Amino acid sequence: MSQHPESLAAAIARVGSPVEYLRNAPSKATVFPVQPEFSNWRSEQQSWRDSVALLDQSHHMTDLFITGPDALRLLTDVGVNSFATFAPNKAKQFIAVNHEGYLIGDAILFYLEEDSFDLVGWHMVLDWVQYHGETGDYDVTFERDASSAVRQGDPKQYRFEVQGPRALELMEKVTGAAVPETRFFGMATFEIDGVQVRSLRHGMAGQPGFELFGPWAEGERVRSALLAAGEGLDLVQVGSKAYSSSNLESAWVPSPFPAIFSGEGTEAYREWLPASRAGSLAGSFDSAAVEDYYLTPYDLGYGRSVSFDHEFIGRAALERHSAEQKRQKVTLVWRPEDVAAAIQTQFEPGVPAKYIDVPKARYGQYQVDRVLVDGRDVGISHDAGYLTNEHAFVSLASLDGAVAAPGTEVTVVWGETTPSAKPSVEDHRQVQIRATVEPAPYSAFARENYRKN
């Protein structure tokens, strides 16, 4: 006889507080269930800057297929984006907030055809949309295709990404035709080796690229055609290690802390949500008040996507946040000598610093590290990792406007304050690592070209 999984509400009640639950969450570090390296992650990182990279996105993301006559109304009611000109064969970064205007999360929304959408990405915002669709007055149906880390069997779709300065050349070679002019986040259909392939036009780290998807059964045929066409174009297959670090170049924070643990309407949501999808909290920022971890879309540079041309959950509160923007998204370039000193503690007697993994150093689903200036807190650091193309160890951060100017010297506190039961946390001590504020994206090419290709 099957049992219902423990709800997030029950898990928090059992432990005592959401922060304590997330600090000691049993969930392991995020795994991208794709081959870690095809060659080595350094060369693979270079491929999307120098030639053309082929990345397999079929396994690590979740698809939420939303269909029905009220599908667009649901998305409009939940999303902060404008849907005034949204139409089939377009896509957008979908963003949602709670009733107090704090960020739930973001994902890519594909408008497949009339009354049919695919919301793709981390499960946080997908769960929020599905909850409101199931509990509200909407004529919609949902089909969830979860990550291969938790799904039994094959994915419903393959999803490949080709990125780099030779991506267009690869697409023309594999299709045998000129690629039609498609705007950023526009969709088109190609024929590859006799099968129809849908594509999304977008970029990564400022380079032009395409995301290709279709029925899982056709995936190997499409992959083989891409590999064959890539001969002579320096095509490089990219594994999960390099791919997991690509967001640092494009300055996208993949898993910001979701504002689901307090506020209007969230109590019933926590009863609905399985505790297994709550995630885990890592980092040196330490407050018993869960609200101190919340972000607004403006903290992550999403202001350009917010539109007050419609009513949506959290609109009034988000308008207030809009008028009182305090933090900016930046890149922090960590001092090489301080990173090296932290790593060196692994070879010295005594308790070492928290292990710094490469190319991605995040060790919880939500990484929240303190950032200081002259000993006072000025913001938080999110994802951290090494960029071969920039010869730099960096993190993405949300900082107070007064210290967000390029060149400002700050300090990142690395490591947790108290012991944690998280499987990814060993006995360690905190260290301070000096860093310099730089723009986000850090790469000048990415800043100037991300939405132009």
Side-chain angles (χ1 to χ4, degrees):
M1 183 175 179
S2 63
Q3 293 182 331
H4 291 294
E6 183 181 34
S7 72
L8 177 56
I12 293 172
R14 172 171 51 80
V15 172
S17 79
V19 172
E20 185 177 353
Y21 175 75
L22 294 170
R23 280 283 179 203
N24 297 285
S27 57
K28 297 180 181 179
T30 302
V31 175
F32 285 51
V34 177
Q35 184 170 325
E37 295 172 290
F38 286 90
S39 53
N40 65 84
W41 61 261
R42 284 81 60 199
S43 298
E44 291 171 14
Q45 280 187 341
Q46 290 175 315
S47 67
W48 60 67
R49 183 78 67 90
D50 297 337
S51 57
V52 59
L54 174 60
L55 307 94
D56 187 350
Q57 297 181 322
S58 307
H59 295 280
H60 73 277
M61 295 187 292
T62 297
D63 286 74
L64 182 66
F65 297 97
I66 310 168
T67 57
D70 290 338
L72 181 58
R73 181 168 69 87
L74 168 65
L75 293 163
T76 304
D77 289 349
V78 176
V80 307
N81 313 75
S82 175
F83 293 84
T85 60
F86 201 37
N89 286 320
K90 290 185 178 180
K92 65 171 70 232
Q93 182 186 22
F94 177 87
I95 300 165
V97 299
N98 71 3
H99 289 80
E100 285 73 40
Y102 291 108
L103 189 69
I104 296 294
D106 70 297
I108 302 302
L109 177 64
F110 293 79
Y111 201 154
L112 300 175
E113 56 190 55
E114 196 68 30
D115 299 334
S116 179
F117 301 83
D118 184 7
L119 191 59
V120 184
W122 283 92
H123 61 80
M124 288 81 81
V125 73
L126 279 63
D127 290 334
W128 184 253
V129 170
Q130 184 170 353
Y131 165 76
H132 285 285
E134 290 184 354
T135 60
D137 183 23
Y138 299 99
D139 184 2
V140 292
T141 58
F142 298 98
E143 181 182 358
R144 180 182 287 257
D145 191 25
S147 157
S148 291
V150 297
R151 184 203 324 100
Q152 298 296 316
D154 294 329
K156 180 180 175 67
Q157 296 186 129
Y158 70 83
R159 193 177 299 276
F160 303 139
E161 190 170 348
V162 292
Q163 297 285 344
R166 306 193 77 173
L168 184 61
E169 190 177 353
L170 172 66
M171 290 301 298
E172 291 183 338
K173 185 176 178 182
V174 77
T175 62
V179 173
E181 190 71 28
T182 308
R183 296 184 63 183
F184 185 85
F185 265 21
M187 294 166 61
T189 300
F190 300 106
E191 183 175 302
I192 296 178
D193 193 21
V195 301
Q196 294 295 304
V197 176
R198 299 191 77 170
S199 77
L200 172 69
R201 188 79 160 104
H202 72 108
M204 184 179 78
Q207 296 293 344
F210 301 84
E211 188 173 303
L212 311 174
F213 59 99
W216 173 255
E218 298 172 353
E220 274 308 310
R221 186 170 178 176
V222 173
R223 188 206 308 268
S224 296
L226 290 168
L227 291 173
E231 294 181 6
L233 299 180
D234 297 323
L235 181 145
V236 175
Q237 291 193 80
V238 174
S240 60
K241 279 192 170 184
Y243 176 70
S244 70
S245 66
S246 63
N247 70 289
L248 294 169
E249 286 200 44
S250 58
W252 173 60
V253 178
S255 55
F257 193 93
I260 62 173
F261 300 94
S262 63
E264 180 184 345
T266 59
E267 183 175 357
Y269 178 62
R270 292 190 298 276
E271 293 281 359
W272 177 90
L273 185 69
S276 60
R277 295 212 290 267
S280 60
L281 175 62
S284 58
F285 184 82
D286 192 7
S287 172
V290 72
E291 293 82 4
D292 290 343
Y293 297 85
Y294 290 175
L295 301 158
T296 75
Y298 304 103
D299 295 339
L300 296 181
Y302 294 162
R304 64 182 293 166
S305 297
V306 175
S307 175
F308 298 111
D309 66 352
H310 65 295
E311 292 297 326
F312 57 85
I313 293 172
R315 173 181 166 162
L318 193 57
E319 286 185 295
R320 292 192 292 272
H321 291 311
S322 175
E324 301 172 357
Q325 297 179 38
K326 298 176 181 178
R327 289 181 172 176
Q328 298 177 29
K329 182 174 68 174
V330 301
T331 302
L332 302 182
V333 180
W334 295 20
R335 288 275 190 97
E337 59 267 36
D338 289 4
V339 175
I343 294 172
Q344 186 172 318
T345 64
Q346 305 291 329
F347 305 96
E348 299 171 343
V351 178
K354 177 73 185 77
Y355 183 72
I356 298 178
D357 206 357
V358 288
K360 179 63 79 70
R362 185 180 76 212
Y363 60 92
Q365 189 162 33
Y366 318 122
Q367 188 76 32
V368 189
D369 288 308
R370 297 175 68 193
V371 181
L372 312 176
V373 169
D374 297 329
R376 61 185 176 86
D377 286 88
V378 295
I380 57 174
S381 174
H382 309 287
D383 261 20
Y386 180 75
L387 301 180
T388 302
N389 291 315
E390 302 295 340
H391 307 288
F393 194 96
V394 308
S395 64
L396 302 174
S398 300
L399 300 187
D400 296 345
V403 298
T408 303
E409 297 296 322
V410 301
T411 298
V412 178
V413 182
W414 180 250
E416 308 210 345
T417 57
T418 56
S420 169
K422 286 193 300 295
S424 58
V425 177
E426 72 282 14
D427 187 24
H428 69 276
R429 59 183 170 90
Q430 283 190 333
V431 295
Q432 295 194 356
I433 297 178
R434 292 169 293 176
T436 303
V437 176
E438 297 293 349
Y442 178 48
S443 162
F445 188 92
R447 288 198 307 276
E448 295 164 5
N449 294 277
Y450 181 61
R451 291 178 180 268
K452 293 181 180 179
N453 294 294

